[in-house]
Amino acid sequence: MRSFVITGVSRGLGEALFEQLAADREHRVAGLGRTFTEKQRGLAAAEPERVALYTMDFAAATLDLARPLRWAAEGASHAYLILNAGMVEPVGPVGQLDPVVVRDSIAVNLTVPMLAASTFLTVLPPGTPGTVLFISSGAATRPIEGWAAYCAAKAGGEMFFRVLAEERPGITVASINPGRMDTGMQGVLRRSEFPTKQSYVDAYEEGTLGRPEDVAARIISEHVTRG
């Protein structure tokens, strides 16, 4: 049985990944996050041996990441860690950023993915194939005014996972740019102020944003089905 641990599953891409992966009864799926949908809670209650939810705040000082990762890895034919949780805040120019929100941004977007991947390697049983997928962003490779914290965290994450891939060639590691999607993060950007905001407003109004369900299906096809 393939097993999956997904961070940030209550909405957007994470919710779509959780729903599509859990729909296959040959998959064991653990969702990590602050909140969960009623559908997710119902599925976990109905099939606790196959679906589990772990409540945690990724901005907290301490997290018990080992428990869900161990639950998923034990007995798996292939274990996957999908690092999806993220936040685009704070949006604004350097010098005007709330230090508390900057700290939370780095914790959610960079520190937790690093710690989760490290813990994943320690609990993965010898001989079990492992895959780590880091949901990144175009912001990792180009500077976007007003997004300094987010750009820095995603760039740092991509480099961390490039190093991991060098150190552990037996583990499949990929950083994935999902593109612009119609998610809550886009809503935050449309309500914020930064120089290129209008292009995000236009994409929403013109209906050119990707659907999380479609992006999730592509990720699964490219990194799970063909894996």
Side-chain angles (χ1 to χ4, degrees):
M1 179 175 283
R2 292 182 177 185
S3 68
F4 302 83
V5 173
I6 311 168
T7 65
V9 299
S10 65
R11 58 184 180 173
L13 179 60
E15 180 182 7
L17 285 166
F18 184 97
E19 181 170 341
Q20 292 179 32
L21 289 169
D24 187 331
R25 297 186 62 82
E26 295 301 313
H27 291 165
R28 190 163 67 237
V29 182
L32 281 59
R34 288 183 299 175
T35 61
F36 304 101
T37 67
E38 287 301 316
K39 184 174 182 179
Q40 290 167 349
R41 291 185 181 280
L43 188 59
E47 301 183 65
E49 74 290 343
R50 196 179 68 82
V51 179
L53 303 176
Y54 294 85
T55 302
M56 59 183 67
D57 180 355
F58 298 120
T62 58
L63 295 172
D64 181 8
L65 293 166
R67 189 163 62 99
L69 289 168
R70 189 174 292 110
W71 177 88
E74 289 179 354
S77 61
H78 192 137
Y80 296 77
L81 172 61
I82 305 178
L83 299 162
N84 167 75
M87 59 182 287
V88 73
E89 303 95 322
V91 179
V94 175
Q96 300 179 24
L97 302 177
D98 183 329
V100 173
V101 184
V102 171
R103 181 199 64 195
D104 290 349
S105 174
I106 298 303
V108 172
N109 294 320
L110 178 59
T111 306
V112 167
M114 293 168 64
L115 295 176
S118 181
T119 304
F120 178 71
L121 296 180
T122 67
V123 304
L124 189 67
T128 301
T131 294
V132 179
L133 303 179
F134 175 60
I135 305 302
S136 187
S137 165
T141 57
R142 64 186 179 93
I144 302 174
E145 292 183 61
W147 297 21
Y150 187 72
C151 289
K154 289 300 185 180
E158 289 207 358
M159 181 55 71
F160 178 87
F161 288 105
R162 285 174 62 185
V163 173
L164 172 58
E166 291 291 326
E167 292 180 347
R168 299 292 294 268
I171 300 293
T172 300
V173 182
S175 291
I176 300 168
N177 177 3
R180 294 186 185 182
M181 295 178 289
D182 190 6
T183 64
M185 186 176 291
Q186 286 287 318
V188 170
L189 294 174
R190 292 193 297 274
R191 294 189 297 272
S192 302
E193 294 300 328
F194 58 101
T196 55
K197 169 183 174 176
Q198 192 58 44
S199 70
Y200 293 84
V201 174
D202 291 344
Y204 176 73
E205 293 179 345
E206 294 166 6
T208 59
L209 295 173
R211 298 174 65 247
E213 298 86 350
D214 296 335
V215 177
R218 172 173 59 81
I219 290 172
I220 292 169
S221 174
E222 295 177 356
H223 297 280
V224 177
T225 306
R226 299 176 189 176

